[in-house]
Amino acid sequence: MVTGSDSSLDQTLVKAVTQAFEYYKLNAPPKAAEKLVRYIDLIQKWNRTYNLTAIKEPQEILTHHIFDSLSVLNATDTFFIERGLKQPTVLDVGSGAGLPGVVMAVLRPNYQVTCVDAVEKKVSFIRAVSTGLVLSNLSAVHARVETLSPNNADLVISRAFASMADFVHLASAHVGDKGALAAMKANHVEAELEALGPEETTGLIRSIEKLTVPDLAASRCLVWLRKEQ
């Protein structure tokens, strides 16, 4: 549980997360930076037993996972505001260690986030994070996304989950009437987009939003497939 000042946390990481909030111009709830650093600690501890992520060092986790996940929040905030969604539901598909779902749940208490993963130990980890960080808006489901009943989510998001064609094929059934699919990708996704057939994207408006990630050299983007209104 994160309460008050926690002197056991790496204050250099806390400062770096706070600076990332400022970089992205994000309104963050109280203790959000501390919670994200506690999340990094939990990833490291669980990584000693379970292979949650190949990235082990806290600074790399910060850059490659936390900063990367923070990069989508302005875009998702704007999408929900445009659609008049005050308590949007988010389905994070192939969530792994809870990315970007955990980060979204920490920064946006009004988002109702469900992380889905086919690996039971990763789902157990996300549930432990939800309890440890007191995130009542975060839940986790152990399943393959194609086996779930339609979720009717406002946003179905993925990060390093699958090709665009597989993502659309497997996850589009879970998008609600005002919803969208959003895939976090490296730039140069043209080939993946070309592989999408018209039958898979009927009624969906495609757009690509460039993302910038502090201290990460790789180019990133968010590929949107929004339902027409």
Side-chain angles (χ1 to χ4, degrees), residues 12 124 167 214 229:
T12 301
S124 296
F167 177 47
Q229 287 190 295

Side-chain angles (χ1 to χ4, degrees), residues 13 36-44 58 61-62 66:
L13 291 181
L36 290 180
V37 175
R38 178 63 68 199
Y39 175 44
I40 293 172
D41 286 348
L42 289 169
I43 290 174
Q44 285 189 287
I61 294 171
L62 182 69
I66 306 300

Side-chain angles (χ1 to χ4, degrees), residues 19 21 32 43 56 58 85 89 91 94 98 102 114 144 160 169 184 197:
Q19 289 173 337
F21 295 164
I43 290 174
K56 311 293 185 184
L85 300 166
T89 54
L91 193 69
V102 169
T114 301
R144 293 188 177 278
H169 175 69
M184 298 173 67

